[in-house]
Amino acid sequence: MASGTSRDVLGRGLWVLGRAIREQPRIFAVAVTGSVLFGLLVIASAYVIGGVVGKVVVPAIARGSVAGGALALAATALFGISVLRVVGIFGRRLGAGYMQYRLQAAYRRRVTRRYLDLPLAWHHRNATGTLLSNANSDVEAAWYPIAPLPFAVGTLVMLVGAVVSLFLTDWALALVGLAVFPALFALNVVYSRRMAPRQARAQRLRAEVSGIAHESFDGALVVKTMGREAQETARFAARAGELRDALIAVGRLRGVFDPMLETLPSLGTLAVLVVGAVRLRQGAISVTELVSVAFLFTVLAFPVRAIGWVLAELPRSVAGWDRVRRVLDATGEMPYGEVTLDPATPTPATLAFHDVHFGYEPAEAHLPGTEVLGEVTFTVPAGKTVALVGPTGAGKSTITSLAVRLVDPRAGTVTLDGVDVRELTAASLASTVALVAQVPFVFDDTVRANITLDRPGIGDEEVWAALRLAEADGFVAALPDGLDTMVGERGTSLSGGQRQRLTLARALAGRPRLLVLDDATSAVDPRVEAAILAGLRTPADGGAPASILVVAYRRATIALADEVIYVEHGRVVARGTHSELLATVPGYADLVTAYEQAEQEREQHRTYDEVIPLTSGLEVEVDR
Ligand SMILES: Nc1ncnc2c1ncn2[C@@H]1O[C@H](COP(=O)(O)OP(=O)(O)OP(=O)(O)O)[C@@H](O)[C@H]1O
Ligand SMILES: [Mg+2]
């Protein structure tokens, strides 16, 4: 992660702050106004205190009695200043808080929105834990210095005011100020530069720790069944230890610099008293002025720290911002077109692949990407069922991703009803096709919400109809709360087959005109699978049948298809009916027979509907 050298961190940090100000100019103006008001009143209070000492207290001591009128006046002035200072602090705090949290919320939204817009290829390259930390701690880190920023800006104005008022008072005292204030500023800059690499490292380790944690929870089943608890814990502990060391390094630096920043203004006050005593004896200044200036130095010490806070947070802010920007600037999202496809009466759609070539982007940009699909041409005619058959890794899932436009081809076209899918609007694509992916994804919500996904026009009647088609109505009706049953994170309270049928019902509820099933019923009993497919071909409720592209393994399923496309190594090797291929393509016959044998063996050893292991990593299933 390019967090930059410490040298340019200041410049880039200021740029990030500038961006924050451009985004929230009005709130920033309120906060800075409050802060400047406060700063000027701090100077004013120093001079009023000086005045009280010089004009009221000293004469009173000399006289032995207090002048009531002068005292009342001084008290009123101090009270007025205090009230105005409260107003200033209120405006600054409120403005800074608003600004910081609004920016955080806005960027969290932007980052998560961007995740959904980015193509699958990008998600394959980025760990889920990193994405979580991008949206959380990186966004927070980027806007951390916003909280003390208005205070720091007000303090800068105050320092200028202080130097001016020092010059108006006495040049010798002004010189002390001119030595102390820039020294304070310089110390702060050195501090933030030293801090930069340490903060960047800590921020990167935060993301890695959250990544490992996420992976081991996500893969809890694998970890447990393989007895890898100790190793997983050790892997996590090692990285957590690195994070601890990085944070201690940050703390150590703080420990060195914080006392220095604290001491410098006190040394300034001391210098003022020494120089001031000389000047007083020379008659150059009055007691009033000396007390005012000495007091000014003591009250300045605290606000000057605000500049230090901003500078100290800048490296972390830049590191966070870099990581956020990497997401916001990531390219490759697929622009949608303008064409809509939705006919007045729902009819099955025609899907066609024309000489499609595709390759996944290599994990690292400099590696060559290999071609996964080449010269793929086939059609799923309206209302027909086409089965995709081929060995593992042949490219079947890749074809289904292209069919629903999760990815775009390198060359060639994928069309729906003759229109290139790249020309369709997102909404039209979503209402036309539905993919049930190889790995079912279930949200931690009710059965109903999992099926409707808040899409309009899907009431309970439609939900039950979809569940019936997916042969899921039986088990859902038997759930304790029916449609209102919570299914747990990723559907952990459901069996593998139940989860598959739920995601199938979700796809069906949208009444797609083309249904793409990627091995979507593998955990379902073969008889049920055949019944589901038959039901989809001729819906019992008289609705229009959808066109179906199905990745299939079982003979019974394949036999239901109007046509079988046989793929090997990303190429369509043969096509025809099941019996034609059995007779003419030796590889096909071998594969189907092998599947059948494996199936029979499996059936002897275990029951279907068992829980399939949670997989680690990111599964993105898009039900359109
Ligand atoms: N995200 C990815 N990045 C890089 N290569 C990938 C990716 N997904 C799949 N591949 C590769 O593309 C090829 C085709 O994969 P695909 O998932 O389409 O096969 P499949 O026919 O669906 O296999 P299976 O029957 O095991 O599901 C494989 O060689 C695989 O290694
Ligand atoms: Mg697959």
Side-chain angles (χ1 to χ4, degrees):
M1 189 55 40
S3 64
T5 62
S6 53
R7 199 160 279 284
D8 63 17
V9 149
L10 186 63
R12 297 194 321 127
L14 293 178
W15 184 90
V16 175
L17 294 182
R19 186 180 177 103
I21 295 168
R22 280 201 301 281
E23 292 212 17
Q24 306 276 333
R26 255 175 281 172
I27 297 179
F28 182 70
V30 170
V32 165
T33 306
S35 181
V36 168
L37 179 68
F38 173 83
L40 296 179
L41 289 169
V42 164
I43 298 174
S45 70
Y47 282 88
V48 170
I49 296 275
V52 171
V53 172
K55 305 243 162 60
V56 182
V57 178
V58 174
I61 292 169
R63 255 199 331 270
S65 71
V66 180
L71 196 61
L73 190 71
T76 312
L78 282 177
F79 181 74
I81 285 176
S82 297
V83 169
L84 284 176
R85 266 167 68 160
V86 167
V87 172
I89 293 172
F90 184 74
R92 183 192 80 222
R93 285 258 171 107
L94 202 65
Y98 257 91
M99 190 168 167
Q100 186 185 18
Y101 296 124
R102 280 170 81 140
L103 281 167
Q104 280 184 10
Y107 274 81
R108 275 210 182 91
R109 275 198 300 272
R110 277 185 220 177
V111 167
T112 42
R113 172 72 232 185
R114 193 83 198 122
Y115 288 158
L116 298 179
D117 288 338
L118 283 166
L120 277 188
W122 187 87
H123 283 275
H124 291 319
R125 288 194 304 267
N126 290 276
T128 316
T130 309
L131 303 193
L132 288 175
S133 107
N134 286 157
N136 256 320
S137 66
D138 290 334
V139 167
E140 271 174 26
W143 303 128
Y144 234 89
I146 298 303
L149 179 66
F151 199 4
V153 173
T155 302
L156 281 179
V157 174
M158 183 174 80
L159 285 182
V160 173
V163 170
V164 170
S165 64
L166 281 179
F167 268 108
L168 292 179
T169 310
D170 182 54
W171 63 266
L173 292 177
L175 288 184
V176 176
L178 280 185
V180 171
F181 299 153
L184 258 181
F185 191 80
L187 193 61
N188 272 310
V189 170
V190 172
Y191 184 22
S192 78
R193 283 196 179 162
R194 289 279 176 88
M195 201 57 134
R198 289 172 174 79
Q199 289 280 25
R201 182 173 145 75
Q203 196 63 15
R204 177 174 53 75
L205 284 167
R206 272 193 193 96
E208 286 179 17
V209 166
S210 102
I212 294 181
H214 180 268
E215 201 174 56
S216 42
F217 306 151
D218 211 28
L221 211 123
V222 179
V223 172
K224 276 186 177 303
T225 52
M226 298 285 168
R228 308 299 291 167
E229 289 95 334
Q231 287 81 351
E232 267 304 294
T233 311
R235 188 162 80 103
F236 182 78
R239 207 48 60 88
E242 277 184 60
L243 176 60
R244 174 203 58 211
D245 293 343
L247 289 174
I248 288 177
V250 167
R252 223 183 281 133
L253 197 69
R254 253 193 209 138
V256 173
F257 274 87
D258 275 4
M260 288 205 265
L261 289 169
E262 201 77 54
T263 313
L264 206 52
S266 310
L267 291 178
T269 312
L270 205 64
V272 163
L273 290 178
V274 172
V275 174
V278 175
R279 298 292 286 161
L280 191 62
R281 195 172 307 143
Q282 290 170 349
I285 55 169
S286 63
V287 172
T288 304
E289 285 166 335
L290 177 59
V291 173
S292 300
V293 172
F295 190 78
L296 189 61
F297 268 73
T298 51
V299 289
L300 276 179
F302 179 69
V304 167
R305 297 298 304 279
I307 298 175
W309 294 332
V310 171
L311 290 175
E313 291 295 350
L314 277 192
R316 189 164 152 204
S317 161
V318 169
W321 173 253
D322 278 343
R323 300 168 61 88
V324 168
R325 206 184 48 185
R326 201 179 60 88
V327 176
L328 296 181
D329 288 354
T331 52
E333 84 269 43
M334 302 187 296
Y336 289 95
E338 300 289 325
V339 181
T340 56
L341 260 191
D342 311 298
T345 51
T347 47
T350 303
L351 169 76
F353 275 54
H354 304 279
D355 194 17
V356 168
H357 293 252
F358 179 80
Y360 287 99
E361 276 176 48
E364 284 161 54
H366 60 89
L367 297 172
T370 48
E371 191 169 86
V372 169
L373 294 179
E375 297 170 30
V376 172
T377 301
F378 69 90
T379 307
V380 181
K384 299 291 184 196
T385 300
V386 170
L388 271 178
V389 179
T392 282
K396 304 179 296 294
S397 294
T398 310
I399 291 177
T400 63
S401 299
L402 283 157
V404 300
R405 211 189 163 212
L406 282 179
V407 291
D408 279 333
R410 275 188 189 169
T413 51
V414 176
T415 64
L416 277 169
D417 288 346
V419 180
D420 190 327
V421 288
R422 283 170 290 205
E423 318 229 300
L424 297 177
T425 63
S428 186
L429 192 62
S431 65
T432 307
V433 295
L435 167 70
V436 186
Q438 200 162 13
V439 184
F441 186 88
V442 178
F443 293 94
D444 183 10
D445 208 327
T446 61
V447 171
R448 180 189 290 104
N450 263 293
I451 290 172
T452 64
L453 292 187
D454 276 339
R455 288 171 293 183
I458 304 179
D460 279 7
E461 209 171 303
E462 286 77 13
V463 168
W464 281 113
L467 286 170
R468 266 195 302 280
L469 265 179
E471 301 259 336
D473 51 332
F475 88 81
V476 171
L479 289 172
D481 295 317
L483 289 182
D484 292 312
T485 309
M486 298 293 293
V487 297
E489 198 184 2
R490 293 186 179 217
T492 35
S493 68
L494 301 175
S495 77
Q498 289 172 339
R499 238 178 286 164
Q500 281 196 337
R501 282 184 259 177
L502 210 58
T503 53
L504 181 60
R506 177 194 297 159
L508 293 173
R511 298 213 157 246
R513 298 169 50 227
L514 169 72
L515 190 60
V516 182
L517 307 175
D518 184 3
D519 197 14
T521 39
S522 59
V524 174
D525 187 296
R527 286 172 298 279
V528 176
E529 185 186 29
I532 290 174
L533 269 183
L536 294 180
R537 280 161 60 94
T538 45
D541 62 354
S547 313
I548 301 172
L549 177 64
V550 56
V551 175
Y553 294 90
R554 294 167 177 153
R555 193 188 277 267
T557 321
I558 300 170
L560 279 173
D562 298 295
E563 191 183 32
V564 177
I565 310 283
Y566 182 58
V567 278
E568 260 179 18
H569 304 299
R571 311 253 151 179
V572 176
V573 179
R575 49 194 292 182
T577 63
H578 176 55
S579 43
E580 282 167 12
L581 293 190
L582 267 187
T584 56
V585 185
Y588 178 76
D590 291 348
L591 187 72
V592 173
T593 316
Y595 277 142
E596 209 155 45
Q597 275 169 2
E599 185 87 350
Q600 277 163 1
E601 276 167 29
R602 271 202 299 180
E603 211 158 350
Q604 282 162 6
H605 287 103
R606 60 178 204 187
T607 56
Y608 287 93
D609 272 20
E610 65 193 349
V611 176
I612 57 170
L614 293 172
T615 52
S616 61
L618 180 77
E619 296 125 17
V620 181
E621 185 214 25
V622 178
D623 271 321
R624 295 180 177 282

